[in-house]
Amino acid sequence: MTTHVHQQNQQQKRKEIYKYTAQWPIYAMNWSVRPDKRFRLALGSFVEEYNNKVQIVQLDEETSEFTPRSTLDHPYPATKIIWIPDAKGIYPDLLATSGDYLRVWRCAENEIKLECLLNNNKNSDFCAPLTSFDWNEVDPNLIGTSSIDTTCTIWGLETRQAIGRVNVNGHVKTQLIAHDKEVYDIAFSRAGGGRDMFASVGADGSVRMFDLRHLEHSTIIYEDSTHVPLLRLAWNKQDPNFLATIAMDACEVVILDVRVPCTPVARLNNHRACVNGLAWAPHSACHICTAGDDHQALIWDIAGMPRAIEDPILAYTAAEGEINQIQWGATQPDWIGICYNKSLEILRV
């Protein structure tokens, strides 16, 4: 009897894939980085109406099941969700979402409350939807948002000690017109201390780099030759010279080196349908994962650049739908999360 139980335990320990099925299609998703919250993720619904949800789920490693911890109402689908990048667990347990506005939520035991709503257009009821945002890993008081109104806004969060609790609020540090058209994504770079440099991509087909200390000019790192909109960008987590971007309806991922502007150092093009997401390895400078409408998640080794990278080193082809989101666990680098339809899967790599 005990051997049988022991075998079961061993099998569970070696499980390579865990799956969670939500009640609605999932789009936004992010791994928590707090050391005391292993396998905790936040998921955002994608329902084409005003009422949407954000749900916190956590894997119970004993039962191998994901359990919902708390669910909150969210206006419109969240375009992005990020947990506070606080690997030491010293800040309040915060979660931010973008949609019509930037919202910061506080997680308590099995409940979640709105901490603050950040709106930089104080004069009107109109708000230009936020397409994406990034939370600065070096200085968690900085959040950058991108919007369809051609701007990027850098927010300063303040955490004030009130009686018995910490209050979180925010103010606009700077707002800049970043592109000629809609801005679709923004990401802080780890270059130069990791606090002041960020890049953005948008409908004008360019990747632009900014420095908070010298906002009067930006650098165009790359421009799509046919000006196809660029939807996503991601910086290499270990080597700030490299970033990756994807164009709308493209089956390839473009890898750029900021030292060689305007010329891709690699093109990853094994996907058979358009690519929707990309995530660099948190612990390695030469690995990136891409996912798309062909139901595939592919892991690439780019160590051979500038030689052409022909094939991925790992392919996951068992997703039962078009993968629209991929995230690599920052504090659990053995795990990648993907979303398709109503499913979240985490895969051991």
Side-chain angles (χ1 to χ4, degrees):
M1 172 64 193
T2 44
T3 20
H4 178 62
V5 172
H6 180 68
Q7 279 171 338
Q8 272 188 323
N9 286 349
Q10 289 303 104
Q11 280 168 343
Q12 284 184 343
K13 276 203 182 91
R14 282 200 298 269
K15 206 163 161 174
E16 304 295 303
I17 298 174
Y18 296 96
K19 185 173 176 178
Y20 175 71
T21 307
Q23 293 162 323
W24 16 256
I26 303 170
Y27 174 65
M29 175 262 289
N30 190 242
W31 291 85
S32 169
V33 297
R34 284 178 79 94
D36 56 338
K37 302 285 185 192
R38 271 170 60 84
F39 294 108
R40 181 177 68 161
L41 297 97
L43 310 173
S45 68
F46 188 84
V47 185
E48 291 188 23
E49 55 184 60
Y50 180 78
N51 295 315
N52 272 264
K53 302 284 184 195
V54 168
Q55 189 170 65
I56 315 295
V57 299
Q58 192 157 2
L59 181 68
D60 182 328
E61 293 178 67
E62 293 295 303
T63 64
S64 300
E65 297 290 325
F66 272 107
T67 46
R69 294 276 176 215
S70 47
T71 307
L72 59 98
D73 293 319
H74 193 277
Y76 304 105
T79 49
K80 196 160 188 189
I81 294 179
I82 305 182
W83 292 92
I84 184 167
D86 175 23
K88 295 195 177 81
I90 49 179
Y91 288 86
D93 194 8
L94 302 177
L95 179 73
T97 60
S98 54
D100 50 350
Y101 300 110
L102 179 67
R103 290 176 174 82
V104 180
W105 310 82
R106 176 191 293 261
C107 300
E109 215 34 64
N110 297 340
E111 68 162 352
I112 187 161
K113 287 190 175 133
L114 183 65
E115 187 73 17
C116 59
L117 181 148
L118 304 178
N119 167 22
N120 56 352
N121 198 345
K122 293 282 183 279
N123 312 330
S124 86
D125 294 337
F126 170 77
C127 64
L130 301 177
T131 49
S132 186
F133 73 99
D134 195 21
W135 205 325
N136 191 295
E137 291 177 12
V138 172
D139 181 356
N141 294 308
L142 292 179
I143 291 183
T145 57
S146 58
S147 169
I148 62 166
D149 68 4
T150 75
T151 68
C152 289
T153 304
I154 306 297
W155 295 88
L157 292 185
E158 305 108 35
T159 49
R160 285 200 203 76
Q161 203 75 37
I163 300 163
R165 64 170 270 158
V166 180
N167 276 358
V168 179
N169 222 314
H171 66 280
V172 175
K173 279 182 95 72
T174 185
Q175 183 175 27
L176 60 143
I177 293 172
H179 287 258
D180 308 329
K181 294 181 176 173
E182 297 92 333
V183 192
Y184 290 138
D185 203 3
I186 179 173
F188 286 105
S189 158
R190 292 200 174 178
R195 191 181 177 275
D196 297 296
M197 318 275 277
F198 66 93
S200 59
V201 293
D204 59 9
S206 68
V207 181
R208 302 191 184 203
M209 191 151 174
F210 299 87
D211 185 331
L212 287 173
R213 297 158 297 194
H214 311 286
L215 282 172
E216 59 282 357
H217 57 83
S218 65
T219 312
I220 294 183
I221 303 175
Y222 172 71
E223 235 169 337
D224 182 89
S225 53
T226 54
H227 297 287
V228 173
L230 298 175
L231 300 183
R232 294 275 164 268
L233 87 155
W235 287 98
N236 185 310
K237 298 289 186 196
Q238 297 293 328
D239 185 341
N241 289 312
F242 294 110
L243 72 159
T245 184
I246 43 181
M248 192 165 82
D249 299 330
C251 299
E252 67 171 13
V253 172
V254 174
I255 309 279
L256 306 168
D257 182 338
V258 294
R259 298 161 298 189
V260 195
C262 303
T263 316
V265 279
R267 291 177 185 272
L268 312 179
N269 44 23
N270 273 45
H271 281 283
R272 295 191 287 272
C274 70
V275 182
N276 298 320
L278 55 157
W280 290 92
H283 58 309
S284 152
C286 54
H287 292 99
I288 184 170
C289 193
T290 61
D293 278 358
D294 57 1
H295 301 201
Q296 293 195 96
L298 306 177
I299 294 184
W300 309 79
D301 182 345
I302 61 161
M305 294 190 311
R307 284 201 317 278
I309 296 149
E310 302 290 343
D311 291 305
I313 53 167
L314 268 176
Y316 176 69
T317 54
E320 292 154 28
E322 299 174 350
I323 303 174
N324 58 34
Q325 185 65 257
I326 182 158
Q327 299 272 329
W328 203 319
T331 49
Q332 282 157 271
D334 297 347
W335 294 90
I336 284 175
I338 60 169
C339 297
Y340 57 87
N341 304 334
K342 295 180 177 181
S343 300
L344 158 75
E345 285 186 359
I346 64 168
L347 320 169
R348 188 196 293 272
V349 291

